[in-house]
Amino acid sequence: GEDVEQSLFLSVREGDSSVINCTYTDSSSTYLYWYKQEPGAGLQLLTYIFSNMDMKQDQRLTVLLNKKDKHLSLRIADTQTGDSAIYFCAEPHGSSNTGKLIFGQGTTLQVKP
Amino acid sequence: EPEVTQTPSHQVTQMGQEVILRCVPISNHLYFYWYRQILGQKVEFLVSFYNNEISEKSEIFDDQFSVERPDGSNFTLKIRSTKLEDSAMYFCASSQMGTGNQPQHFGDGTRLSIL
């Protein structure tokens, strides 16, 4: 079945780059998503990448996709304390025609001043 | 920017009682979803809804759960007889299309606590 895996915790210093990794299992996924959850808040859509792309850049965010290895990463350049949050990767369930998302367990990013 | 809104932000209910969680999806979206996140666990899909009917539901979504779109703006999740294990954060989401090719936008969630 579909599964999405992430490491649980990442700690970086302010100004450094952060790289959050994710592996997924469904090779038929057309889009892959990154969501951000700040304390006490909902899931904020951060960025997403179409499966025929290798890379997508959006200001400080860079998404890299390796379809062969089913590996997705989110790089945050010049990480700020405001980037401290839980980051979830998600893929649409392959056999679903309703777009239901399968989430990873989330990576807690801690940014130290 | 349009957003999904959920009420209440926190609901405390006695075990066995009925609870209704409310959501207002983004106005031009056609697909609606409920997910839940038990503390410390993954976000799990519950149900998707399109054209006034359930299009897909998970194993979690048993007979105690129901969804409704009572008017043109609200989308509700009802739990008929709550159990302790229903305690979780419940997220509503909506999207323009339901193929996974359009991103789902989430509300801030309702924290449900069953006593």
Side-chain angles (χ1 to χ4, degrees):
Chain A
E2 277 79 6
D3 200 12
V4 179
E5 296 290 334
Q6 299 177 240
S7 53
L8 294 180
F9 187 77
L10 176 65
S11 180
V12 301
R13 293 228 170 262
E14 193 173 16
D16 288 348
S17 292
S18 306
V19 180
I20 300 170
N21 295 302
C22 171
T23 57
Y24 61 95
T25 54
D26 185 2
S27 58
S28 66
S29 292
T30 52
Y31 282 87
L32 293 148
Y33 298 92
W34 284 103
Y35 285 87
K36 176 184 179 182
Q37 185 179 33
E38 295 181 9
L43 297 167
Q44 173 197 351
L45 178 67
L46 204 54
T47 186
Y48 55 99
I49 187 167
F50 187 48
S51 60
N52 70 351
M53 298 170 66
D54 298 324
M55 185 180 84
K56 178 181 178 181
Q57 188 148 4
D58 183 2
Q59 299 180 345
R60 292 191 297 120
L61 303 178
T62 303
V63 180
L64 295 177
L65 176 59
N66 181 331
K67 281 196 75 174
K68 175 174 166 290
D69 295 337
K70 297 179 188 172
H71 183 266
L72 181 72
S73 67
L74 174 70
R75 180 177 181 269
I76 305 173
D78 187 25
T79 313
Q80 303 297 306
T81 53
D83 295 324
S84 294
I86 303 175
Y87 291 80
F88 294 91
C89 66
E91 64 165 344
H93 188 280
S95 60
S96 166
N97 61 358
T98 66
K100 80 177 190 186
L101 294 176
I102 306 297
F103 283 83
Q105 61 268 61
T107 299
T108 299
L109 175 63
Q110 178 189 68
V111 183
K112 297 178 181 176
Chain B
E1 186 177 323
E3 58 182 27
V4 176
T5 57
Q6 291 186 242
T7 55
S9 55
H10 191 190
Q11 174 80 45
V12 181
T13 301
Q14 291 287 333
M15 187 173 58
Q17 295 296 305
E18 176 184 285
V19 66
I20 297 176
L21 310 182
R22 302 180 192 280
C23 170
V24 178
I26 294 173
S27 61
N28 65 343
H29 285 185
L30 302 176
Y31 287 81
F32 314 116
Y33 307 84
W34 284 101
Y35 292 81
R36 79 172 185 191
Q37 185 182 30
I38 294 172
L39 189 64
Q41 297 186 23
K42 289 187 177 186
V43 176
E44 302 173 288
F45 168 81
L46 291 178
V47 66
S48 58
F49 190 87
Y50 169 71
N51 200 25
N52 280 320
E53 60 183 28
I54 290 173
S55 44
E56 187 171 0
K57 61 183 180 180
S58 72
E59 293 174 352
I60 304 166
F61 195 89
D62 62 21
D63 292 344
Q64 294 301 309
F65 290 85
S66 62
V67 288
E68 193 178 29
R69 189 155 163 82
D71 52 43
S73 59
N74 289 284
F75 179 52
T76 62
L77 174 70
K78 183 195 288 187
I79 309 175
R80 256 179 281 282
S81 178
T82 49
K83 302 186 283 285
L84 293 176
E85 53 264 38
D86 293 326
S87 295
M89 184 74 98
Y90 287 80
F91 293 106
C92 173
S94 68
S95 64
Q96 287 184 320
M97 295 176 65
T99 58
N101 295 341
Q102 289 286 330
Q104 293 177 27
H105 296 264
F106 284 75
D108 282 346
T110 293
R111 180 170 299 283
L112 178 63
S113 300
I114 307 300
L115 304 180

